[in-house]
Amino acid sequence: METKKETRGAKKGRPKPATSGRKKADPGMKIKKVSVALPEKMWEELTERAEKQEISRNKLIKNILEIYLKK
């Protein structure tokens, strides 16, 4: 008989595991959330490139901006 794998996170009626929940971010890094308005064709291209790299569009845009800002 197979043993059922325990799911992660807090369980009703049990103490919360120390490793569950959101992880602490780097204290020196402050995140600013903004939105970007781009033409639809650009979004389609970003979506295709992100899918090829198997990452999210946001992560792709972040990587592009990091490369641009390092120059």
Side-chain angles (χ1 to χ4, degrees), residues 6-7 9-17:
E6 183 80 17
T7 58
K11 308 290 180 288
K12 189 173 183 178
R14 295 190 210 169
K16 181 179 170 189

Side-chain angles (χ1 to χ4, degrees), residues 3-63:
T3 57
K4 189 174 182 182
K5 186 176 179 183
E6 183 80 17
T7 58
R8 300 178 297 156
K11 308 290 180 288
K12 189 173 183 178
R14 295 190 210 169
K16 181 179 170 189
T19 58
S20 68
R22 289 182 177 246
K23 307 300 179 242
K24 299 280 185 201
D26 181 11
M29 181 190 294
K30 292 188 178 186
I31 303 292
K32 176 82 175 187
K33 294 181 181 180
V34 296
S35 63
V36 179
L38 295 172
E40 190 174 340
K41 286 185 179 183
M42 290 177 113
W43 278 121
E44 290 171 1
E45 187 175 340
L46 285 171
T47 302
E48 289 173 13
R49 289 182 182 204
E51 287 173 354
K52 284 180 186 175
Q53 295 181 29
E54 298 179 351
I55 59 175
S56 68
R57 268 192 319 214
N58 279 349
K59 189 158 194 114
L60 177 65
I61 293 169
K62 177 184 166 268
N63 293 344

